[in-house]
Amino acid sequence: MKSVIKYLLTLCSVLFIQQAVAQSGKCRGKVIDGVTKEPIAHAAVQIKAAKLGAFTNNNGEFELQLPEGQQQLIVSSVGYQSVNIQVDRSQTELIIALQVNNSTMQEVVITANRDVAKRSQAPIAINTLTSKTIQDTRPITADQVLNKVSGVYMVNLGNEQHSMSIRQPMTTKSLFLYLEDGIPIRTTGLFNHNALLEMNMAAVRNIEVNKGPSSSLYGSEAIGGVVNFITLAPTALPSLKLSVQGNDIGYKRADLQTGFTSGKWSVSVNGYYADKRNSYIEYSDFHKGILSARVDYRFSDKTLLTNTITSMDYYSDMPGGIDSTKFANKSFLNPQTFTYRSVDALRYRSTLQHTWNDNSKSSVSFLYRDNTIGQNPAYSVKDDYRRQGNSWVGKKDLAHGEINAASFNSYVLIAQHKQQFAWKEAAIIGGVSADISPSTYRADYIRIKKDSVSGKYLSYEPKDSVLTHYSNNINNYAAFVNVELSPVEKLRVVASLRYDLFRYKFDNHLKPSAFSGSPDTTNHFSALSPKVGFTYNFSRTAGIYANYSQGFVPPEVTEMYRGVKVPDLKSSTFYNYEAGGWLSLLKDKLSADVSLYYLEGTNEVVSVKLDDGSTENRNAGKTLHKGIELGVNAIPVKEVTFRFSGAYSRHEFTNFNEKGVKYDGNEMNGAPNWIYNTELWYRPSFVKGLRVGVEWQHVGSYWLDPVNTVKYPGFNVVHLRVGYQWKAMEVWVNTINLGDSYYAYTASKSSFGYSYNPAEPRNFNVGLSYDFGHLFKK
């Protein structure tokens, strides 16, 4: 009886407090992102009739004194669509979700100048893949969203492995920079074209793609483009989302996404485990487990400490490509039986941000990386039986290969400050960074037994032969500055400059007579990378831009020292000229952006044939890259959205002599002139939560070899995606390669023959997710 009385007294007290709050007219609430549930800070909440309002704090919270009667609230934030809602004094706790703005003109970007900026004030070609785009697509690999960007073709090499094409041919060279929250995933000098397999897509909020050189802000490798994966912040409301999905060609995956905010603390944990077995290509199993945790502590409204850690374990069979006979016969049998790639990666970052006042803020970040890649690579397997002149020599049942391991640790410090001025709306962003990354590399020769009838590589035995074994301390010190101002109305001028100094301290553990016999040495590289540009906005809906920029790439460590007796390479330098513009019509229902570029590459590293028949790496290559990129977004009716992203480009050798063969004037191999991707989404109003999307990807024909003897015809492929969200539950069915087209993701020709990477046949990926977060809400 006492417990019942106590309960009734407590209930009466709660009701009395709620009534008192309602009578006082106080309205509290949170403004959140409609997709990610992250808090939106500094959103404006205005009472339309009373001309009163408030701004949300860093947790997305606001409080308003409501007049009596029905009131209309207008809620807005930069980069989001404004909403109008009806409220009265009976509604004391509001949750207001905003959707990202459809207009590219009103987008907010981060990568353009290392801080938040409007897209319309950034004199570069930049595209954003929003959280809504990622959620609607439900990608199982990053290429399924990145290829929606004009001029981008991320090549799927299977099991999240990849190469890339952004203002460059499809290549594995170190011409692209991959960032996580503005910081490189890997250290410079140890580029891995598969770097994005180390990304945790379950923790990604949105992706920004800067096209063209960005070395003036981000340093080396930022030549063709910079891809910045911006991760999820902890949610404003409790969230616990579990997802499972799988397809009919052996792929299975489970995701975890969770987060909450409590007082000064905010926490999120995101990750997934993927597994594939018995797929359409023989010997192509893999598994990947990756988990990210983030803990934020807000000391005050002006000071925030963010700590993130990501750990990944990855293993994949390495089938390699198939030859022309197998490809023509649609045979997915693979000659490999033991090749593999294994990756263990750990990244930890701690960032302290402080806002001094409305015009001044600083940040300091510390980063630690621990990375190891072990391989028995398919690309190193070479048959002993080979053509030599007009005859064949060697043993048919013998091949040669290697097992290698590369590892590094990184200790990184980045300090940055932004200062704004009233004069000409000027702003300066400056900073310094230091990256200390000791690394090791070892490669051991293996002797491979081959079945001369079936062509399968059956087994291998290690020999007491070390091909390469060294350690290398890589130090990179840099200082950068970005200055922008508006000398006259509508004109924004932006200039940036970065100085990089590299030191490679090489310690060879082998004798000079070894395959990699370079003596111990220390090599230095430095570069001063400028960029200057402007934007001119004729109105809120139309603008143009132009820029000039330089980019550079120091030699990769393996280019410098692997198989080398005397290392003597310099940095490659790229010169870029580009212009473009944007236009928005019909109240943002139709928008377009266009860019034209002219990019020259000099001092590129090529393999030169010497008089004695051997080869060595030298700075002897010049290339030219030029093209036009176009993006169009339209909302013809409320229920339908349309997107077109396309590019026409031409990539040429202007002065290129490799292994004694001149390619001057030839088109570069693996460089289609046409790449475009278009997509149509239908969201019927009569079935709320349903979405149906059709995507068409086109890759044009391209040369298979630099001599320009044979072309691959390219391909067209269509994907169909259907999803339905009801309250906390979502289901989806993605049909990849709807027409069951037979094509190769990429193809090439070399002295060893043709190689094709067959694309996935038609497959159905079915998924289900449920957010249990509502069970934890108060």
Side-chain angles (χ1 to χ4, degrees):
M1 185 66 179
K2 288 183 179 180
S3 60
V4 174
I5 293 173
K6 185 177 180 180
Y7 171 77
L8 290 173
L9 288 172
T10 303
L11 180 60
C12 289
S13 299
V14 171
L15 292 174
F16 175 78
I17 293 170
Q18 289 181 341
Q19 182 67 19
V21 170
Q23 289 178 353
S24 71
K26 281 190 176 180
C27 173
R28 298 184 181 90
K30 288 185 178 181
V31 180
I32 63 173
D33 185 290
V35 175
T36 66
K37 305 299 184 288
E38 296 169 299
I40 300 177
H42 313 302
V45 185
Q46 182 182 358
I47 304 172
K48 185 175 182 180
K51 301 298 182 182
L52 299 174
F55 289 97
T56 58
N57 62 17
N58 290 298
N59 291 328
E61 301 165 338
F62 69 90
E63 183 176 299
L64 272 176
Q65 190 76 27
L66 283 180
E68 292 184 2
Q70 194 85 0
Q71 301 295 328
Q72 186 178 38
L73 288 187
I74 303 173
V75 185
S76 61
S77 182
V78 177
Y80 288 89
Q81 301 175 37
S82 299
V83 297
N84 294 357
I85 59 173
Q86 298 293 328
V87 297
D88 57 40
R89 289 189 170 187
S90 65
Q91 297 168 276
T92 57
E93 294 289 339
L94 298 174
I95 302 297
I96 303 171
L98 300 185
Q99 301 297 328
V100 173
N101 201 308
N102 292 321
S103 172
T104 55
M105 293 283 292
Q106 303 306 313
E107 280 181 348
V108 173
V109 293
I110 297 173
T111 318
N113 66 359
R114 300 185 69 106
D115 194 67
V116 176
K118 276 191 175 182
R119 167 67 186 90
S120 57
Q121 294 186 342
I124 59 172
I126 183 170
N127 294 90
T128 300
L129 294 162
T130 65
S131 53
K132 183 171 179 55
T133 298
I134 295 171
Q135 177 173 286
D136 288 348
T137 304
R138 287 290 180 175
I140 60 174
T141 52
D143 62 284
Q144 293 180 356
V145 285
L146 280 173
N147 289 346
K148 300 176 189 291
V149 175
S150 59
V152 174
Y153 178 52
M154 179 179 172
V155 184
N156 184 346
L157 297 179
N159 300 344
E160 300 192 30
Q161 299 166 111
H162 64 92
S163 59
M164 185 63 78
S165 171
I166 307 175
R167 296 191 177 181
Q168 294 286 325
M170 294 177 278
T171 182
T172 58
K173 289 188 174 182
S174 55
L175 299 173
F176 315 102
L177 184 61
Y178 304 121
L179 309 176
E180 182 180 49
D181 293 325
I183 298 177
I185 297 172
R186 296 175 61 85
T187 191
T188 296
L190 298 174
F191 179 80
N192 180 5
H193 67 88
N194 291 307
L196 293 187
L197 66 78
E198 298 178 24
M199 278 306 305
N200 183 359
M201 287 299 292
V204 172
R205 172 163 58 90
N206 60 286
I207 306 171
E208 294 181 358
V209 182
N210 280 19
K211 290 173 282 188
S214 294
S215 294
S216 62
L217 286 176
Y218 294 101
S220 68
E221 299 175 358
I223 305 301
V226 173
V227 184
N228 188 11
F229 291 78
I230 299 168
T231 59
L232 289 162
T235 54
L237 305 175
S239 176
L240 175 58
K241 182 182 289 187
L242 302 178
S243 306
V244 292
Q245 60 183 310
N247 64 26
D248 56 342
I249 54 172
Y251 182 86
K252 300 178 291 295
R253 172 168 154 175
D255 288 48
L256 164 70
Q257 293 175 303
T258 182
F260 68 89
T261 297
S262 178
K264 294 185 176 184
W265 293 92
S266 299
V267 178
S268 67
V269 178
N270 305 287
Y272 67 90
Y273 180 81
D275 181 271
K276 188 180 77 174
R277 302 180 189 181
N278 303 318
S279 192
Y280 68 103
I281 294 181
E282 185 183 28
Y283 193 71
S284 61
D285 293 356
F286 102 110
H287 67 258
K288 173 183 174 179
I290 189 165
L291 189 68
S292 300
R294 171 172 170 169
V295 178
D296 292 359
Y297 181 76
R298 187 165 292 281
F299 294 94
S300 67
D301 287 341
K302 294 186 175 183
T303 307
L304 173 67
L305 177 65
T306 298
N307 292 280
T308 63
I309 187 167
T310 297
S311 179
M312 185 197 74
D313 174 69
Y314 175 95
Y315 178 89
S316 175
D317 295 339
M318 193 187 295
I322 62 175
D323 60 32
S324 56
T325 302
K326 287 186 173 64
F327 186 73
N329 294 331
K330 299 185 178 181
S331 169
F332 297 127
L333 297 176
N334 199 280
Q336 308 296 343
T337 61
F338 50 76
T339 50
Y340 67 88
R341 174 175 285 118
S342 174
V343 184
D344 291 306
L346 176 72
R347 294 189 301 276
Y348 169 75
R349 176 173 61 89
S350 182
T351 299
L352 181 65
Q353 304 172 65
H354 182 74
T355 301
W356 304 97
N357 52 55
D358 291 343
N359 298 314
S360 181
K361 61 181 179 180
S362 304
S363 67
V364 178
S365 296
F366 170 75
L367 179 75
Y368 172 74
R369 308 184 190 102
D370 186 356
N371 192 288
T372 299
I373 300 177
Q375 298 183 123
N376 187 331
Y379 58 77
S380 291
V381 176
K382 302 292 187 293
D383 290 341
D384 190 68
Y385 187 68
R386 63 199 182 279
R387 180 184 290 275
Q388 193 173 80
N390 296 322
S391 59
W392 289 82
V393 299
K395 298 179 180 180
K396 293 184 177 180
D397 62 350
L398 176 64
H400 310 279
E402 67 176 63
I403 293 177
N404 61 51
S407 64
F408 70 90
N409 299 108
S410 291
Y411 308 88
V412 184
L413 184 67
I414 303 172
Q416 178 175 307
H417 179 76
K418 179 179 181 179
Q419 189 71 44
Q420 295 175 284
F421 304 91
W423 180 79
K424 304 297 184 183
E425 300 180 29
I428 298 177
I429 298 174
V432 294
S433 67
D435 184 329
I436 312 299
S437 297
S439 66
T440 61
Y441 182 85
R442 176 169 177 146
D444 292 89
Y445 168 77
I446 57 173
R447 184 182 179 93
I448 299 171
K449 183 178 181 181
K450 181 181 180 181
D451 187 318
S452 58
V453 178
S454 68
K456 279 192 175 295
Y457 300 101
L458 303 176
S459 61
Y460 68 90
E461 57 177 329
K463 295 293 182 177
D464 189 18
S465 177
V466 182
L467 300 173
T468 307
H469 188 201
Y470 61 74
S471 57
N472 192 9
N473 289 337
I474 305 171
N475 296 358
N476 175 206
Y477 307 99
F480 56 88
V481 63
N482 183 85
V483 180
E484 50 188 272
L485 59 99
S486 299
V488 297
E489 189 180 1
K490 300 181 180 180
L491 176 66
R492 191 73 172 168
V493 178
V494 180
S496 52
L497 185 68
R498 176 174 168 126
Y499 176 75
D500 279 271
L501 175 64
F502 289 90
R503 187 190 74 167
Y504 292 177
K505 184 174 175 55
F506 175 76
D507 182 12
N508 197 350
H509 304 316
L510 300 180
K511 297 179 180 179
S513 58
F515 170 71
S516 299
S518 170
D520 296 349
T521 185
T522 299
N523 298 97
H524 294 88
F525 308 94
S526 63
L528 190 65
S529 304
K531 185 172 188 174
V532 61
F534 72 89
T535 62
Y536 188 86
N537 289 282
F538 300 100
S539 66
R540 193 191 73 85
T541 59
I544 59 173
Y545 82 91
N547 79 60
Y548 166 77
S549 59
Q550 288 184 20
F552 81 101
V553 182
E556 291 298 302
V557 169
T558 51
E559 291 176 330
M560 281 288 293
Y561 306 113
R562 178 182 161 85
V564 174
K565 303 297 184 183
V566 181
D568 184 23
L569 290 175
K570 301 177 179 64
S571 297
S572 304
T573 306
F574 293 78
Y575 304 90
N576 181 66
Y577 311 82
E578 72 175 274
W582 44 80
L583 180 67
S584 183
L585 300 171
L586 306 174
K587 296 182 179 180
D588 295 336
K589 290 184 178 180
L590 176 64
S591 62
D593 61 270
V594 64
S595 56
L596 299 91
Y597 66 90
Y598 185 94
L599 175 64
E600 295 178 296
T602 63
N603 264 356
E604 296 190 54
V605 177
V606 298
S607 181
V608 177
K609 191 170 186 178
L610 306 180
D611 292 337
D612 62 0
S614 63
T615 61
E616 72 174 20
N617 290 331
R618 288 186 180 177
N619 295 102
K622 292 184 178 180
T623 59
L624 175 62
H625 315 268
K626 51 189 176 181
I628 180 170
E629 299 153 342
L630 174 67
V632 177
N633 290 274
I635 309 175
V637 295
K638 185 178 180 180
E639 299 170 329
V640 176
T641 58
F642 170 81
R643 174 191 54 77
F644 172 83
S645 304
Y648 176 83
S649 57
R650 185 175 175 86
H651 307 280
E652 302 174 355
F653 297 107
T654 55
N655 186 356
F656 221 88
N657 186 328
E658 188 170 35
K659 296 183 180 179
V661 180
K662 287 189 175 182
Y663 305 142
D664 299 8
N666 287 5
E667 285 193 63
M668 299 180 74
N669 51 303
N673 295 134
W674 286 101
I675 296 177
Y676 49 83
N677 180 292
T678 190
E679 193 169 30
L680 185 73
W681 281 99
Y682 175 55
R683 296 175 174 84
S685 56
F686 56 86
V687 185
K688 188 177 181 180
L690 177 66
R691 65 179 187 271
V692 181
V694 179
E695 179 185 11
W696 171 30
Q697 173 79 59
H698 171 81
V699 173
S701 61
Y702 55 88
W703 294 107
L704 294 181
D705 59 347
V707 188
N708 292 180
T709 60
V710 184
K711 268 192 170 184
Y712 181 71
F715 63 85
N716 290 280
V717 62
V718 176
H719 310 306
L720 174 66
R721 297 182 173 93
V722 180
Y724 178 67
Q725 185 161 5
W726 182 72
K727 295 183 178 180
M729 184 183 71
E730 182 182 1
V731 295
W732 65 91
V733 179
N734 291 343
T735 306
I736 304 301
N737 192 358
L738 179 65
D740 202 20
S741 301
Y742 183 68
Y743 66 99
Y745 287 128
T746 183
S748 62
K749 178 191 175 186
S750 68
S751 58
F752 296 98
Y754 293 86
S755 178
Y756 298 84
N757 287 91
E760 295 179 359
R762 179 173 54 222
N763 64 91
F764 302 93
N765 186 74
V766 180
L768 169 69
S769 74
Y770 191 85
D771 190 345
F772 295 88
H774 63 279
L775 300 176
F776 304 97
K777 295 177 185 177
K778 295 180 181 179

